[in-house]
Amino acid sequence: MNSAQQDDGMLGRARVTDTPELTAYYAELGAHDAGALWTVANDIEPWYPQPASVPVLWRYRELRPLVRRALDLVRADDAGRRVVMLVNPGRKDVSAAVGLLYTGLQIMGPGEAMTAHRHQAAALRFVHEGTGAWTVVDGQKLRVGPGDFAITPNGTWHEHGNEADDEPVIWQDGLDIPLVNALDAGFYEVHPDLHQTPGKVINSSVLTYGANLLPHGAEKWTRPYSPLLAFPWDPTYEALRGLARATEGSPYDGVIAEYTNPVTGGSVMPTMGAHMQLLRPDQATSAHRHTGSVIYTVAKGRGASVIAGRRFEWTKGDMFCVPSWAWHEHHNLDASEDACLFSFNDFPVMRSLGFHREEAYPDHGGHQPVTGTPTATPPATAATAATA
Ligand code: GTQ
């Protein structure tokens, strides 16, 4: 910590000492639904982000049996969506997994189908297991399998189900529900007919936009989200392997690529972006931090990530979160296989509001010392001195 900044008062920050007169004054302000800024200034304008979210790892091996139990415990029709949410211990009040992002594991039994609805929150899916998953998004039927990524942009009608006759589907939902609620902008509607009438062509957006060719008429697409709604695993993984041959990648993320809106090259939706990244065998990235929250899902391989000084070992299916401004670095622990991390984030919100900031970890050759303490504070640099 920078010693000058230990004392908020020296920098012109609030340090008024309580007196009986002031205490009485604060009470009187409170009675008028008012308050004195100097009693909260250092809390509401911190030196740097102070997320309530903590780093968390959710192990698929541990959650899967619990998710499967919900199949027998609740009927999909009664539950609406049969989902086990991942809840950050610091964000229970808003059902967030990290920051303003929600995520959960949804299970659909063989032959099940959910009714159609739409809402202000945007949604995305990443399939963990099961081959029978389908979803209808604004009348377009998509089939998705393990490793596939699909989007349900805000305001689009959607319903989904599992057309396999033997095994359940478990997919991960990612939504910006806490963001929408933080902005008091939530709406929700059930489809008047409970179901849409899907067009006959399955995965029509993939047929139209899925080959890096911009089709005739694409310029007419003016909605703020990607017209390509599904991104299958196989071509994504092949693209990452190609990238790994052709480029070095990022020192912080390995070989990483964003799923994009093919018309604009921007993020798939206005509030949430998503990436797939590949860590080469044994690769250990350098630590950095940035504004914006991220939820990761291990798509392939095994490794470890150090987040805010805590080390989390992960394997396929595991999910973990990186709160805003937390130092993080990733390590592929396998000497011969690559490891792949799917992730989604609120970066489009940060960028569109001008809130994006990023910096490299300056010490110890770019790697954090591992403290093992859940709330460990990283060593502060001059730019990031803590509040006193
Ligand atoms: O499928 O639209 O996990 O509305 C939570 C809320 C999924 C969905 C969730 C939702 C959905």
Side-chain angles (χ1 to χ4, degrees):
M1 191 181 297
N2 178 327
S3 61
Q5 291 182 322
Q6 281 181 21
D7 188 337
D8 284 320
M10 301 250 313
L11 289 181
R13 302 210 66 170
R15 52 164 188 180
V16 175
T17 312
D18 274 354
T19 61
E21 290 85 350
L22 274 174
T23 308
Y25 173 67
Y26 297 150
E28 223 177 302
L29 286 178
H32 288 82
D33 298 320
L37 170 66
W38 62 87
T39 62
V40 296
N42 300 347
D43 299 326
I44 65 171
E45 290 188 291
W47 294 110
Y48 60 92
Q50 305 281 343
S53 305
V54 295
V56 183
L57 170 77
W58 292 272
R59 287 195 181 82
Y60 195 66
R61 173 171 43 84
E62 291 173 3
L63 281 176
R64 184 175 187 268
L66 286 165
V67 172
R68 289 184 69 111
R69 253 164 65 199
L71 262 187
D72 301 323
L73 287 170
V74 288
R75 292 185 335 128
D77 279 346
D78 296 337
R81 301 280 189 260
R82 201 193 285 104
V83 183
V84 170
M85 305 183 295
L86 309 189
V87 184
N88 196 290
R91 299 290 282 159
K92 285 184 192 163
D93 49 338
V94 293
S95 296
V98 65
L100 293 170
L101 297 173
Y102 157 103
T103 199
L105 290 172
Q106 175 157 185
I107 184 160
M108 295 176 282
E112 272 188 341
M114 316 289 151
T115 51
H117 68 198
R118 66 177 176 185
H119 36 67
Q120 191 83 300
L124 55 82
R125 329 281 169 194
F126 183 78
V127 183
H128 280 254
E129 59 177 288
T131 52
W134 57 266
T135 170
V136 181
V137 179
D138 263 356
Q140 179 184 154
K141 184 162 184 173
L142 315 172
R143 283 208 181 93
V144 285
D148 292 359
F149 165 60
I151 59 169
T152 308
N154 84 329
T156 56
W157 292 111
H158 55 284
E159 59 194 285
H160 37 253
N162 175 4
E163 60 196 11
D165 48 21
D166 45 0
E167 47 171 22
V169 161
I170 300 179
W171 77 25
Q172 187 178 348
D173 293 319
L175 289 96
D176 55 7
I177 291 172
L179 169 71
V180 173
N181 289 338
L183 295 171
D184 288 332
F187 292 90
Y188 189 101
E189 260 177 285
V190 173
H191 195 283
D193 306 324
L194 294 183
H195 293 285
Q196 304 161 76
T197 311
K200 284 200 179 55
V201 182
I202 309 283
N203 289 350
S204 66
S205 76
V206 180
L207 297 172
T208 309
Y209 288 100
N212 277 329
L213 297 166
L214 210 52
H216 169 75
E219 69 283 355
K220 294 201 186 76
W221 181 264
T222 54
R223 296 186 191 177
Y225 56 82
S226 167
L228 174 58
L229 300 176
F231 302 77
W233 163 254
D234 284 342
T236 304
Y237 180 56
E238 274 318 299
L240 267 283
R241 281 166 49 103
L243 256 183
R245 287 175 56 199
T247 69
E248 191 54 39
S250 145
Y252 311 111
D253 288 305
V255 179
I256 186 163
E258 182 173 11
Y259 295 91
T260 54
N261 175 339
V263 176
T264 64
S267 58
V268 285
M269 296 188 284
T271 55
M272 290 189 290
H275 292 86
M276 183 67 82
Q277 73 194 77
L278 179 151
L279 302 168
R280 297 182 171 93
D282 273 339
Q283 181 171 8
T285 66
S286 299
H288 75 157
R289 65 178 170 188
H290 45 69
T291 48
S293 306
V294 187
I295 295 172
Y296 291 85
T297 302
V298 183
K300 182 176 184 292
R302 62 186 186 89
S305 297
V306 181
I307 308 163
R310 278 186 75 193
R311 186 172 182 276
F312 298 91
E313 268 197 41
W314 39 256
T315 187
K316 190 177 174 194
D318 291 349
M319 296 149 286
F320 59 92
C321 68
V322 173
S324 184
W325 210 235
W327 296 115
H328 55 284
E329 59 195 278
H330 310 294
H331 191 174
N332 180 352
L333 292 177
D334 200 293
S336 51
E337 286 290 314
D338 52 34
C340 293
L341 298 173
F342 166 80
S343 63
F344 69 96
N345 59 64
D346 57 8
F347 298 168
V349 177
M350 294 297 173
R351 289 187 195 281
S352 62
L353 298 179
F355 293 165
H356 175 74
R357 279 215 206 186
E358 178 177 5
E359 65 184 33
Y361 188 80
D363 305 321
H364 315 297
H367 299 288
Q368 307 157 77
V370 176
T371 63
T373 316
T375 50
T377 315
T381 60
T384 63
T387 33

